Amino acid sequence: MADTSSTDNAGPLQAACLGAVAAVVLAPPAAAIVAIVYRFPVPMGEYARGLGGAGAAALASLFYLLFGGVLVVGILGAASGFVAARGAGRDTRRALRRTLGAAAVVALLGATALSVLEFFIGAW
């Protein structure tokens, strides 16, 4: 029997990398969506709200990504991609859909967490 131990995790590891990149790339659109639906904090400014504040929210999310958010979102996106691919088995199309969906959920959860953070730590 051939030794396939080194290639068994190739699919999930690729999905983990894709999940990390996709979650980081989807963070600004997720922030814009959260601003349209609820609100999103703009650093050294007010909250961005509504359709008019979507662009400001996307730019604000880049600020948060530069100051440490890329690590949090990237690690969570990688973990979700790995788990999604492991659950999909050998079906690469299903693994891709699950990985991108999980990355989108991670980005939306991160943006939502920033929008309600003041309820946990107070006004900032």
Side-chain angles (χ1 to χ4, degrees), residues 86-107:
R86 291 291 295 231
R90 297 206 182 269
D91 187 357
T92 56
R93 182 175 258 167
R94 181 183 295 167
L96 178 65
R97 284 193 310 261
R98 286 184 178 186
T99 298
L100 293 177
V105 168
V106 165

Side-chain angles (χ1 to χ4, degrees), residues 52-119:
L59 287 175
S61 73
L62 293 175
F63 176 82
Y64 293 124
L65 285 172
L66 287 174
F67 287 100
V70 71
L71 290 175
V72 175
V73 173
I75 289 170
L76 291 175
S80 67
F82 185 83
V83 170
R86 291 291 295 231
R90 297 206 182 269
D91 187 357
T92 56
R93 182 175 258 167
R94 181 183 295 167
L96 178 65
R97 284 193 310 261
R98 286 184 178 186
T99 298
L100 293 177
V105 168
V106 165
L108 278 170
L109 286 176
T112 303
L114 280 173
S115 70
V116 298
L117 191 60
E118 79 167 310
F119 297 127

Side-chain angles (χ1 to χ4, degrees), residues 17-72:
C17 291
L18 177 64
V21 170
V24 170
V25 168
L26 289 173
I33 290 169
V34 169
I36 291 169
V37 174
Y38 181 55
R39 65 180 184 180
F40 192 81
V42 176
M44 287 139 325
E46 297 294 320
Y47 285 98
R49 290 183 171 89
L51 203 52
L59 287 175
S61 73
L62 293 175
F63 176 82
Y64 293 124
L65 285 172
L66 287 174
F67 287 100
V70 71
L71 290 175
V72 175

